[in-house]
Amino acid sequence: MTYRYRVAIIFLAGFFIDCINIFMSAIALPDISRELHISESSVVWVANSYILGLTLIIPLSNWIASLAGARFTMMVSMVIFSIGALLSGLSTDFFSLTLFRFIQGVGGGLLIPVGQALTVGMFKQDERARISTLIMAVALIAPACSPAVGGALVDHFSWRWVFLGNIPFSLITAALALLWIRAEKTTAHRPDLAGLVLVSLTLTALLLGMSCYAAAVSNQIALALLLTGIVLALWYLRHYRRKADPILDLSVLLNPRMGFSVLIYHAIPGIFSGVNLLSIFFLQQVLGWSASETGLMMVLYAAGAFCAMMTGGRLYNRIGAAPLFLTGLLLHAAGIALLSLVGSAHGLPLLIIAYLLMGSGGGIGASTAQTTAMLDFTDERLARASTVWNLNRQMSFSIGAALFTLMVNLLQQQTTITSAYHYTFLIAAGLGLLPLLRLKQLIPQPESLCHQKKS
C-alpha cells in the first residue's frame, strides 16, 4: 500500500468516527432527555458542546501540527477523543456530559482538518474526485450502520454505550497514526487567538440564544444572546479585514466553487441533521417507535445516497457540478416535504420513500460539494480552505439541529404537536431550496466555453 493511501485510511477512519459520533448519539437523545430530566431543546447541547469543541480546535489544528508534527497530532487527537468518550459514557448529570462531549470535540477537531489537508494534497486535481468518492462512501457507511447499532445499544443496554462504543475505533486509529504517518514538521504562522475567541463566542452565543428561546427560559435573555452573537460576528469581520493572517481565511469563500459548496452543506447535510433529529423525536415520542426501529430509517437514507453518489461520481466530469446540485436539492427537499404527511395511519410507506429521496438528494449534493469545494486550492491555501470547510461542515450540523428544534417548539405553542412537526418539515423543505437562487454562478458562460474549446 502506498504512503498516500495509508494517510487517506487514517483520515477516513477519523472521519468515520466523527460521523458515527454524530448519528449514533442522535438516536440516544430521547433516552438521555428522559433519564437526565432535561427538555428536547436542552438535550441538543449533547451535540452542540461537541461542535463547540471542534470550533475551538479546528482553526488551531494545522498550526499545532506544524509544531508537533502530523503524526503526533493525529495520534493524540484520537487519544483525547477516547478519553472524552469514556467520560461521557460514565457521566451522571447533564453538565458533566456536555463538558466531556466538549473534550470529545477537541479530540475530533484535531485529526480531521490535518488529515484532510494531508490527504487531498497528495492527490492531483484530476484525481481528487477519486478521494472525494472515498470520503463520501465513508459518510454513507457511517450513517447507514451507526443509527441502527446505536438504537440496538439504547434498547438493549443503555445510551451510555453509544459513547463507549466509539473507543475501540478511536484507539485503533491512534495506533495506525503512530505506525504509518511519517515524522514530519511544517512551518506555520502563530495563530490568530483573538479571532479564535471571537469565532467561538459567536457560535456559542447564537446556539445558546436559539436554545433559550426554544426552551422558553426568557425571551429577553434569548434575544440578548442572539444579538450578542450577531455583534460578535460583525466584530470578527472587522477583525478579519485588519488581520494579515486571520484564524479563518474567509477569502476562500470568494471562490465560486467553494462558496457555493459551503452553502450546499447548510442546505443539505445541515438541514437534514435538524430534520432527522426531529424525525427521531417524532417517531419515538409521538408514534411510539423504538430506538432500533428509528435507527433503521438511516439504512434507507444510506441506500439512496449510495446509488446516487455512484451515479453522480460517473457524471461529474461529463455534465459538471450545476446539474448535479440542482438534482440533489430537488430530491432532498421532496423527501423532507413528504415527512409532513407521515402519521400513525400511513407512516411506514411514506417514511421509506422520504428517506430514500433524502438519501438520494443528499448523496448527490454532498458528494458533489465535497468534490467541488477545494478544486481550485493547493499548498497553504488548501490547508486554509480545509479549515474553513471542516468548520463549516460541523457548524451546519449544529445550526440545523438548533434551528429546527427552536422552530418546532415555537409552533407547538400555536398548534398540536403533530402539526408542529409537519409544519417544521415543510419549512425545512423550502429552506433547502434556497441555494437554487445562486446556482447560476456555477454554470459555465458561453464565452468561457468557447475559450476552452480554442485552448
Side-chain angles (χ1 to χ4, degrees):
M1 185 187 300
T2 61
Y3 178 66
R4 67 176 183 173
Y5 277 103
R6 288 187 177 185
V7 173
I9 285 173
I10 295 169
F11 160 61
L12 292 172
F15 185 60
F16 177 77
I17 291 167
D18 181 55
C19 291
I20 281 181
N21 181 63
I22 292 171
F23 288 97
M24 190 181 287
S25 61
I27 287 292
L29 292 183
D31 278 65
I32 295 173
S33 176
R34 284 192 295 269
E35 184 171 324
L36 300 184
H37 308 291
I38 49 178
S39 66
E40 292 178 18
S41 54
S42 296
V43 80
V44 172
W45 277 93
V46 174
N48 286 346
S49 57
Y50 179 83
I51 301 299
L52 290 176
L54 287 162
T55 303
L56 175 66
I57 205 67
I58 280 178
L60 293 176
S61 57
N62 287 306
W63 176 70
I64 293 172
S66 73
L67 296 178
R71 179 173 69 181
F72 183 79
T73 302
M74 295 169 77
M75 179 192 68
V76 168
S77 73
M78 289 292 94
V79 173
I80 294 173
F81 183 95
S82 301
I83 293 171
L86 175 63
L87 295 175
S88 296
L90 299 177
S91 297
T92 56
D93 61 85
F94 183 60
F95 175 79
S96 63
L97 177 57
T98 54
L99 174 62
F100 298 142
R101 287 283 287 163
F102 178 87
I103 293 173
Q104 257 194 300
V106 170
L110 274 172
L111 183 141
I112 295 174
V114 174
Q116 177 165 300
L118 196 60
T119 300
V120 175
M122 291 183 176
F123 289 82
K124 297 177 182 179
Q125 288 190 331
D126 58 351
E127 296 177 315
R128 289 183 184 175
R130 187 188 311 166
I131 193 64
S132 295
T133 300
L134 290 175
I135 292 171
M136 292 313 302
V138 170
L140 292 177
I141 293 170
C145 64
S146 57
V149 173
L153 290 173
V154 170
D155 285 343
H156 298 290
F157 298 99
S158 166
W159 58 264
R160 300 178 185 280
W161 283 98
V162 165
F163 303 112
L164 297 175
N166 286 319
I167 297 175
F169 298 101
S170 53
L171 290 179
I172 290 171
T173 305
L176 289 177
L178 178 63
L179 294 172
W180 284 357
I181 301 294
R182 293 172 184 165
E184 298 175 352
K185 292 185 180 180
T186 57
T187 57
H189 299 291
R190 184 176 181 273
D192 170 24
L193 296 180
L196 175 63
V197 171
L198 285 174
V199 170
S200 299
L201 289 177
T202 297
L203 184 59
T204 302
L206 291 174
L207 293 176
L208 276 173
M210 285 189 283
S211 295
C212 289
Y213 206 99
V217 174
S218 169
N219 288 348
Q220 290 76 20
I221 293 176
L223 292 174
L225 285 167
L226 292 171
L227 181 61
T228 300
I230 293 171
V231 170
L232 288 169
L234 294 174
W235 191 354
Y236 177 76
L237 288 175
R238 182 170 177 267
H239 169 83
Y240 161 77
R241 294 189 183 100
R242 296 182 174 186
K243 187 73 175 177
D245 190 23
I247 195 73
L248 288 181
D249 185 1
L250 299 180
S251 68
V252 300
L253 298 176
L254 298 177
N255 178 278
R257 288 171 169 169
M258 180 68 167
F260 192 82
S261 297
V262 162
L263 186 61
I264 285 293
Y265 246 77
H266 284 275
I268 294 184
I271 284 180
F272 177 75
S273 68
V275 166
N276 186 52
L277 177 62
L278 294 187
S279 178
I280 289 169
F281 275 98
F282 179 68
L283 294 177
Q284 291 188 35
Q285 296 188 346
V286 178
L287 299 187
W289 286 36
S290 68
S292 301
E293 292 169 335
T294 307
L296 288 173
M297 288 295 103
M298 282 304 299
V299 176
L300 296 171
Y301 179 93
F306 178 79
C307 296
M309 187 188 72
M310 292 297 102
T311 303
R314 296 191 189 98
L315 295 176
Y316 187 89
N317 292 325
R318 298 180 188 175
I319 65 175
L324 293 173
F325 278 135
L326 173 63
T327 304
L329 289 167
L330 292 175
L331 289 174
H332 189 253
I336 296 174
L338 274 182
L339 292 177
S340 66
L341 302 176
V342 172
S344 56
H346 43 77
L348 185 58
L350 286 175
L351 277 168
I352 291 173
I353 298 171
Y355 270 85
L356 285 173
L357 285 174
M358 288 188 291
S360 300
I364 293 174
S367 62
T368 303
Q370 184 72 46
T371 302
T372 303
M374 287 176 280
L375 276 177
D376 301 326
F377 300 104
T378 56
D379 302 326
E380 184 182 354
R381 289 278 289 173
L382 177 60
R384 291 171 178 264
S386 177
T387 297
V388 172
W389 176 253
N390 282 287
L391 187 61
N392 175 76
R393 183 176 70 88
Q394 301 293 350
M395 286 174 58
S396 68
F397 294 145
S398 187
I399 291 172
L403 175 62
F404 293 115
T405 303
L406 164 63
M407 198 173 294
V408 77
N409 284 343
L410 291 177
L411 287 171
Q412 284 181 30
Q413 300 172 16
Q414 309 297 326
T415 184
T416 64
I417 185 171
T418 298
S419 296
Y421 278 108
H422 287 171
Y423 290 144
T424 304
F425 292 141
L426 285 174
I427 294 170
L431 292 176
L433 294 174
L434 289 180
L436 293 177
L437 300 175
R438 294 185 56 188
L439 184 62
K440 187 178 179 180
Q441 70 182 23
L442 290 184
I443 301 174
Q445 299 301 311
E447 300 84 21
S448 64
L449 290 175
C450 291
H451 177 74
Q452 291 174 9
K453 290 179 180 179
K454 291 178 181 179
S455 59

